Amino acid sequence: QVQLVESGGGLVQPGGSLRLSCTASGSTRSITAMGWYRQGTGTGRELVASWSFAGTTDYDHPAKGRFTISRYNAENTVLLQMTSLKPENTNVYYCKVFYNGRGYRLLDAWGQGTVVTVSP
């Protein structure tokens, strides 16, 4: 089992910056990937940025060039540096982790989210 705790959200002016942090606890040795998601339309969550143990990163089109995901010297912590923030970036940002369970089963877990509000 893996538990996630996010922090770093808050109120910021347009053009400002925030740094989100996601820290995992529990079976952290089995983590294969971590990422940040935002609440999309309807019930789905959409990818903002992700990192995998293979060294790959992925960004959605709005985030690329403004957001940067990085590992904080350990596989159990991932940061999302957000710059040039726009009102459209206002959302609840969720951390997600993928990890290996028994029998090579790939499991996932979500954090509770951290609120980012971009407003004048």
Side-chain angles (χ1 to χ4, degrees):
Q1 185 179 357
V2 175
Q3 299 82 37
L4 301 176
V5 177
E6 306 106 324
S7 64
L11 175 64
V12 65
Q13 301 295 315
S17 301
L18 286 174
R19 179 176 293 169
L20 307 184
S21 177
C22 176
T23 300
S25 62
S27 302
T28 58
R29 296 295 183 184
S30 63
I31 291 174
T32 60
M34 299 180 70
W36 286 96
Y37 294 73
R38 63 182 290 174
Q39 190 66 247
T41 59
T43 61
R45 295 174 181 175
E46 57 189 33
L47 174 72
V48 176
S50 66
W51 165 89
S52 74
F53 80 99
T56 60
T57 58
D58 193 23
Y59 299 88
D60 68 347
H61 291 163
K64 193 170 185 178
R66 298 189 296 116
F67 297 175
T68 302
I69 189 169
S70 62
R71 184 174 63 178
Y72 185 63
N73 295 323
E75 64 182 71
N76 65 327
T77 301
V78 167
L79 305 175
L80 183 67
Q81 180 67 46
M82 311 168 72
T83 61
S84 300
L85 285 164
K86 304 175 181 179
E88 66 190 72
N89 298 132
T90 296
N91 214 313
V92 181
Y93 287 78
Y94 299 89
C95 184
K96 184 180 182 180
V97 62
F98 292 93
Y99 62 101
N100 293 318
R102 293 181 177 180
Y104 303 100
R105 181 183 179 187
L106 184 63
L107 306 175
D108 61 68
W110 290 93
Q112 294 186 3
T114 183
V115 178
V116 172
T117 303
V118 185
S119 176

